[in-house]
Amino acid sequence: MSAQASITGHFGEWLQGRMGPDGRLSLITVNCPALSVRVKRRDDPILTLVQEGRPVLSRKRARALLDHMNLPVSGCFTIDHDMPAGGGAGASTGALLGVLAAAGCDAPPEDLARACVAIEGASDPIMFPHPDEMLWASRRAEIVQQIGAIPECEIVGGFLPYTERTEPEDLQFPDISDLVPEWERAIACGDLPALADLASTSAERTTTLRGPEKDITPVLRKSLGALGHIRAHTGSARGLVFERGTVPPDAVDLLRAGGLTRVIHFTTGRAP
């Protein structure tokens, strides 16, 4: 007997930071249908994981996850993914969710999020149907508030040549409590240029605080006339935000020439 699951990833964050100097770490994720984690399971009396390249999940954590959800199952789980581990695109959370789904777990999103945090100390909100429509406390598996849909837009992005896995105790992020009310107002008006500008501000604050010192994304934004730029606030994902139908034909080539790898072009947000 076999089973399989596919989990949609994300691509960094629109916003991420502390809600006040000592507030909880919160984020608004970038939903990315172009990236996924795929998990297949076949019957086997021993729990094993098959992964190509850098592993995104250890056998110990997989066992702990299944036990946490009261799933006394074993099997051989094959994990395949489009995004690099440590890229900031949901490979780790996606692997956890994929293993649970392939094991037959149909728990609600809130329970899945708490399970991921129990195992890894942090979680992306990709278990929810519209993960980019909430302010999410990633270390607590809590919805801080529902905000609303981002206008449909196009993103071209890739990954810088480094990896940075999330450390649950790492809370060195800038204050974004001033950006969230502005984000809410821009969402209410469907103002994509304002949202892209706020995302750029959040990205620049994190780059100033956490690096890297030389991040080419703002330069690429200017060269290509993008509305704004986004980043994985922990990880190497970087992207440019465009109105629908305005992506320059040479955008992918310019990103590759700028040193980004695995360059993708996708649509995100929701049409009105």
Side-chain angles (χ1 to χ4, degrees), residues 53-271:
R54 184 179 176 188
V56 293
L57 181 63
S58 69
R59 182 182 178 278
K60 180 179 179 181
R61 285 189 170 181
R63 181 74 272 164
L65 174 71
L66 294 167
D67 290 345
H68 180 86
M69 298 300 286
N70 296 314
L71 292 169
V73 300
S74 294
C76 177
F77 292 84
T78 301
I79 302 173
D80 181 34
H81 52 90
D82 302 316
M83 62 287 272
S92 183
T93 299
L96 293 172
L97 296 174
V99 164
L100 288 176
C105 178
D106 60 354
E110 294 81 2
D111 290 348
L112 295 174
R114 285 190 287 268
C116 290
V117 170
I119 300 305
E120 293 205 325
S123 175
D124 301 307
I126 56 177
M127 63 288 296
F128 290 90
H130 302 291
D132 54 351
E133 298 181 15
M134 63 180 74
L135 185 66
W136 174 252
S138 57
R139 304 297 199 264
R140 302 185 184 187
E142 295 175 357
I143 299 174
V144 179
Q145 65 185 95
Q146 293 284 353
I147 292 183
I150 294 158
E152 198 170 45
C153 60
E154 294 183 57
I155 291 176
V156 181
F159 297 88
L160 292 174
Y162 75 95
T163 59
E164 182 185 12
R165 287 198 166 181
T166 297
E167 297 294 338
E169 59 277 1
D170 177 12
L171 295 174
Q172 188 182 11
F173 291 86
D175 186 350
I176 60 164
S177 58
D178 60 322
L179 301 183
V180 172
E182 293 185 46
W183 186 268
E184 291 181 86
R185 286 191 286 270
I187 286 287
C189 298
D191 190 344
L192 180 61
L195 293 168
D197 196 54
L198 289 167
S200 302
T201 299
S202 179
E204 288 163 3
R205 287 182 185 180
T206 292
T207 299
T208 298
L209 182 64
R210 299 172 63 89
E213 289 185 11
K214 296 180 180 180
D215 190 326
I216 196 172
T217 321
V219 176
L220 290 170
R221 172 194 177 183
K222 186 176 180 180
S223 298
L224 288 163
L227 293 178
H229 66 278
I230 57 172
R231 65 165 286 171
H233 291 65
T234 302
S236 60
R238 300 291 188 274
L240 304 177
V241 185
F242 296 90
E243 295 269 10
R244 288 294 308 273
T246 67
V247 177
D250 59 347
V252 170
D253 289 339
L254 284 177
L255 264 65
R256 287 175 176 155
L260 276 73
T261 62
R262 304 194 190 202
V263 176
I264 56 174
H265 178 185
F266 64 96
T267 299
T268 193
R270 284 208 283 172

